[in-house]
Amino acid sequence: QVQLVESGGDLVQAGGSLNLSCAAPVIIFKLNVNVMGWYRQAPGNQRELVAVITSSANTNYADSVKGRFTISKAGAFNTIYLQMNNLKPEDTGVYYCNAHSSNGRDYWGRGTQVTVSS
């Protein structure tokens, strides 16, 4: 089973910053992954897309985080990052790393908790 490993979640005050990381195992390169991204889930809510990045470094963001969050990657997909600035209480949730393959399969991490206090 492919396991992505997230880190960097924490408790931070509104207006603060966090940088999340997601380490992808070597095998990810053999699975035709062409998009990786970050999703989040707040209590009582469905999991929602935050940001994605393609193998050619094209990016896309949820409207709620545009201008505040930046997704990037190291190498092909060795590690992806999510720099989060000007955090708001509504950014609170569990942040999950996702890898999507060209044949339609999705791989997930276990998540990292981000809590933003007002």
Coordinates of all heavy atoms in Angstrom, one line a residue, residues 29-69:
F29 N 6.8 7.1 -8.2 CA 7.2 7.4 -9.6 C 6.9 6.3 -10.6 O 6.9 6.5 -11.8 CB 8.7 7.7 -9.6 CG 9.1 8.8 -8.7 CD1 9.9 8.5 -7.6 CD2 8.7 10.1 -8.9 CE1 10.3 9.5 -6.7 CE2 9.0 11.1 -8.0 CZ 9.8 10.8 -6.9
K30 N 6.6 5.1 -10.0 CA 6.2 4.0 -10.9 C 4.7 3.8 -11.1 O 4.3 2.9 -11.8 CB 6.8 2.7 -10.3 CG 8.3 2.7 -10.1 CD 8.8 1.4 -9.5 CE 10.3 1.4 -9.2 NZ 10.7 0.2 -8.6
L31 N 4.0 4.7 -10.5 CA 2.5 4.6 -10.5 C 1.9 5.7 -11.5 O 0.7 5.9 -11.4 CB 2.0 4.8 -9.1 CG 2.4 3.7 -8.1 CD1 2.0 4.1 -6.7 CD2 2.0 2.4 -8.5
N32 N 2.7 6.3 -12.3 CA 2.1 7.3 -13.3 C 1.4 8.4 -12.6 O 0.3 8.8 -13.1 CB 1.3 6.6 -14.3 CG 2.1 5.6 -15.1 OD1 3.2 5.9 -15.6 ND2 1.5 4.4 -15.4
V33 N 1.8 8.9 -11.5 CA 1.2 10.0 -10.8 C 1.5 11.3 -11.6 O 2.7 11.6 -11.9 CB 1.7 10.1 -9.4 CG1 1.3 11.5 -8.8 CG2 1.3 9.0 -8.5
N34 N 0.5 12.0 -12.0 CA 0.7 13.2 -12.7 C 0.2 14.5 -12.0 O 0.4 15.6 -12.5 CB 0.0 13.1 -14.1 CG -1.5 12.7 -14.0 OD1 -2.0 12.6 -13.0 ND2 -2.1 12.6 -15.2
V35 N -0.5 14.3 -10.9 CA -1.0 15.4 -10.1 C -0.9 15.1 -8.7 O -1.2 14.0 -8.3 CB -2.5 15.8 -10.5 CG1 -2.9 17.0 -9.6 CG2 -2.7 16.0 -11.9
M36 N -0.4 16.0 -7.9 CA -0.4 15.9 -6.4 C -1.1 17.1 -5.8 O -1.1 18.2 -6.5 CB 1.0 15.7 -5.9 CG 1.5 14.3 -6.2 SD 3.0 13.9 -5.3 CE 2.4 13.6 -3.6
G37 N -1.6 17.0 -4.6 CA -2.3 18.1 -4.1 C -2.6 18.0 -2.6 O -2.3 17.0 -2.0
W38 N -3.2 19.0 -2.1 CA -3.6 19.1 -0.7 C -5.1 19.3 -0.6 O -5.7 20.1 -1.4 CB -2.9 20.3 0.0 CG -1.5 20.1 0.2 CD1 -0.5 20.6 -0.7 CD2 -0.8 19.4 1.2 NE1 0.7 20.2 -0.2 CE2 0.6 19.5 1.0 CE3 -1.3 18.8 2.4 CZ2 1.5 19.0 1.9 CZ3 -0.4 18.2 3.2 CH2 1.0 18.3 3.0
Y39 N -5.7 18.5 0.2 CA -7.1 18.6 0.5 C -7.3 18.8 2.1 O -6.3 18.6 2.8 CB -7.9 17.3 0.1 CG -8.0 17.1 -1.3 CD1 -6.8 16.8 -2.1 CD2 -9.2 17.2 -2.0 CE1 -6.9 16.6 -3.5 CE2 -9.3 17.1 -3.4 CZ -8.1 16.7 -4.1 OH -8.2 16.5 -5.4
R40 N -8.4 19.4 2.5 CA -8.6 19.5 3.9 C -10.1 19.1 4.3 O -11.0 19.2 3.4 CB -8.3 21.0 4.4 CG -9.3 22.0 3.8 CD -8.8 23.4 4.2 NE -9.7 24.4 3.7 CZ -9.4 25.7 3.7 NH1 -8.3 26.2 4.2 NH2 -10.3 26.6 3.2
Q41 N -10.2 18.8 5.5 CA -11.5 18.4 6.0 C -11.7 19.0 7.4 O -10.9 18.7 8.3 CB -11.7 16.9 6.1 CG -13.1 16.5 6.4 CD -13.3 15.0 6.1 OE1 -12.4 14.2 5.9 NE2 -14.6 14.6 6.0
A42 N -12.7 19.9 7.6 CA -13.1 20.4 8.8 C -14.1 19.5 9.5 O -14.9 18.8 8.8 CB -13.6 21.8 8.7
P43 N -14.2 19.6 10.8 CA -15.3 18.7 11.5 C -16.6 19.0 10.9 O -17.1 20.1 10.8 CB -15.1 19.2 12.9 CG -13.8 19.7 13.1 CD -13.4 20.3 11.8
G44 N -17.3 17.9 10.6 CA -18.7 18.0 10.0 C -18.8 18.4 8.6 O -19.9 18.5 8.0
N45 N -17.6 18.6 7.9 CA -17.6 19.0 6.5 C -17.0 17.9 5.7 O -16.3 17.0 6.1 CB -16.8 20.3 6.3 CG -17.5 21.5 6.9 OD1 -18.6 21.4 7.5 ND2 -16.8 22.6 6.8
Q46 N -17.3 18.0 4.4 CA -16.7 17.1 3.4 C -15.2 17.5 3.1 O -14.9 18.7 3.3 CB -17.5 17.1 2.1 CG -18.8 16.4 2.2 CD -19.5 16.3 0.9 OE1 -19.3 17.0 0.0 NE2 -20.4 15.3 0.8
R47 N -14.5 16.6 2.7 CA -13.1 16.9 2.3 C -13.1 17.8 1.1 O -13.9 17.5 0.1 CB -12.3 15.6 2.0 CG -10.8 15.8 1.9 CD -10.1 14.4 1.7 NE -10.3 13.6 2.9 CZ -9.7 12.5 3.1 NH1 -8.8 12.0 2.2 NH2 -9.9 11.8 4.2
E48 N -12.3 18.8 1.0 CA -12.3 19.8 -0.1 C -10.9 20.0 -0.6 O -10.0 19.9 0.1 CB -13.0 21.1 0.4 CG -12.2 21.8 1.4 CD -12.8 23.2 1.8 OE1 -13.8 23.6 1.2 OE2 -12.2 23.9 2.6
L49 N -10.9 20.3 -1.9 CA -9.6 20.6 -2.5 C -9.1 22.0 -2.0 O -9.8 22.9 -1.9 CB -9.8 20.6 -4.0 CG -8.5 20.9 -4.9 CD1 -8.6 20.1 -6.2 CD2 -8.3 22.3 -5.2
V50 N -7.8 22.0 -1.7 CA -7.1 23.2 -1.3 C -6.2 23.7 -2.5 O -6.4 24.9 -2.9 CB -6.3 23.1 -0.1 CG1 -5.5 24.3 0.2 CG2 -7.1 22.6 1.1
A51 N -5.3 22.9 -3.0 CA -4.4 23.2 -4.1 C -3.9 22.0 -4.7 O -3.7 21.0 -4.0 CB -3.3 24.1 -3.5
V52 N -3.6 22.1 -6.0 CA -3.0 21.0 -6.7 C -1.9 21.5 -7.6 O -1.8 22.6 -8.0 CB -4.0 20.2 -7.6 CG1 -5.1 19.5 -6.8 CG2 -4.7 21.1 -8.6
I53 N -0.9 20.6 -7.9 CA 0.2 20.9 -8.8 C 0.4 19.7 -9.7 O 0.4 18.5 -9.3 CB 1.4 21.2 -7.9 CG1 2.6 21.7 -8.8 CG2 1.9 20.1 -7.0 CD1 3.7 22.4 -8.1
T54 N 0.7 20.0 -11.0 CA 0.9 18.9 -11.9 C 2.4 18.6 -12.0 O 3.2 19.3 -11.5 CB 0.3 19.3 -13.3 OG1 1.2 20.4 -13.8 CG2 -1.1 19.8 -13.2
S55 N 2.7 17.6 -12.8 CA 4.1 17.2 -13.0 C 4.8 18.3 -13.7 O 6.1 18.4 -13.5 CB 4.1 15.9 -13.7 OG 3.4 16.0 -15.0
S56 N 4.1 19.1 -14.5 CA 4.8 20.2 -15.1 C 4.7 21.5 -14.4 O 5.0 22.6 -14.9 CB 4.2 20.4 -16.5 OG 2.8 20.6 -16.5
A57 N 4.3 21.4 -13.1 CA 4.3 22.5 -12.1 C 3.2 23.5 -12.4 O 3.2 24.7 -11.9 CB 5.6 23.2 -12.1
N58 N 2.2 23.2 -13.1 CA 1.0 24.0 -13.2 C 0.2 23.8 -11.9 O 0.1 22.8 -11.3 CB 0.1 23.6 -14.4 CG 0.7 23.9 -15.7 OD1 1.3 24.9 -15.9 ND2 0.7 22.9 -16.6
T59 N -0.4 24.9 -11.4 CA -1.1 24.9 -10.1 C -2.5 25.4 -10.2 O -2.9 26.1 -11.1 CB -0.3 25.8 -9.1 OG1 -0.3 27.1 -9.6 CG2 1.1 25.3 -8.8
N60 N -3.3 25.0 -9.2 CA -4.7 25.5 -9.1 C -5.0 25.5 -7.7 O -4.6 24.7 -6.9 CB -5.6 24.5 -9.9 CG -7.0 25.1 -10.1 OD1 -7.1 26.3 -10.2 ND2 -8.0 24.3 -10.2
Y61 N -5.8 26.5 -7.3 CA -6.2 26.8 -5.9 C -7.7 26.9 -5.7 O -8.4 27.4 -6.6 CB -5.5 28.0 -5.4 CG -4.0 28.0 -5.4 CD1 -3.2 28.4 -6.5 CD2 -3.3 27.5 -4.3 CE1 -1.9 28.3 -6.5 CE2 -1.9 27.5 -4.3 CZ -1.2 27.9 -5.4 OH 0.2 27.8 -5.4
A62 N -8.1 26.6 -4.5 CA -9.5 26.9 -4.1 C -9.5 28.4 -4.0 O -8.6 29.1 -3.6 CB -9.8 26.3 -2.8
D63 N -10.7 29.0 -4.3 CA -10.8 30.5 -4.3 C -10.5 31.0 -2.9 O -10.0 32.1 -2.7 CB -12.2 30.9 -4.7 CG -12.5 30.7 -6.2 OD1 -11.5 30.6 -6.9 OD2 -13.7 30.7 -6.6
S64 N -10.9 30.2 -1.8 CA -10.7 30.7 -0.5 C -9.3 30.8 0.0 O -9.0 31.5 1.0 CB -11.5 29.7 0.5 OG -10.9 28.4 0.4
V65 N -8.4 30.2 -0.8 CA -6.9 30.3 -0.3 C -6.1 31.1 -1.3 O -4.9 31.3 -1.1 CB -6.4 28.9 -0.1 CG1 -7.2 28.1 0.9 CG2 -6.2 28.1 -1.4
K66 N -6.6 31.5 -2.5 CA -5.8 32.2 -3.5 C -5.2 33.4 -2.9 O -5.9 34.2 -2.2 CB -6.7 32.6 -4.7 CG -7.0 31.4 -5.6 CD -7.9 31.8 -6.8 CE -8.2 30.7 -7.7 NZ -9.1 31.1 -8.8
G67 N -3.9 33.6 -3.2 CA -3.2 34.8 -2.6 C -2.6 34.6 -1.3 O -1.8 35.4 -0.8
R68 N -3.0 33.5 -0.6 CA -2.5 33.2 0.8 C -1.7 31.9 0.8 O -0.7 31.9 1.6 CB -3.7 33.1 1.8 CG -4.5 34.3 1.9 CD -5.5 34.2 3.0 NE -6.5 33.2 2.8 CZ -6.6 32.1 3.7 NH1 -5.9 32.1 4.8 NH2 -7.6 31.2 3.4
F69 N -2.0 30.9 0.0 CA -1.4 29.6 0.0 C -0.6 29.5 -1.3 O -1.0 29.9 -2.3 CB -2.4 28.5 0.1 CG -3.1 28.4 1.5 CD1 -3.0 29.4 2.4 CD2 -3.9 27.3 1.7 CE1 -3.7 29.3 3.6 CE2 -4.6 27.1 2.9 CZ -4.4 28.1 3.9

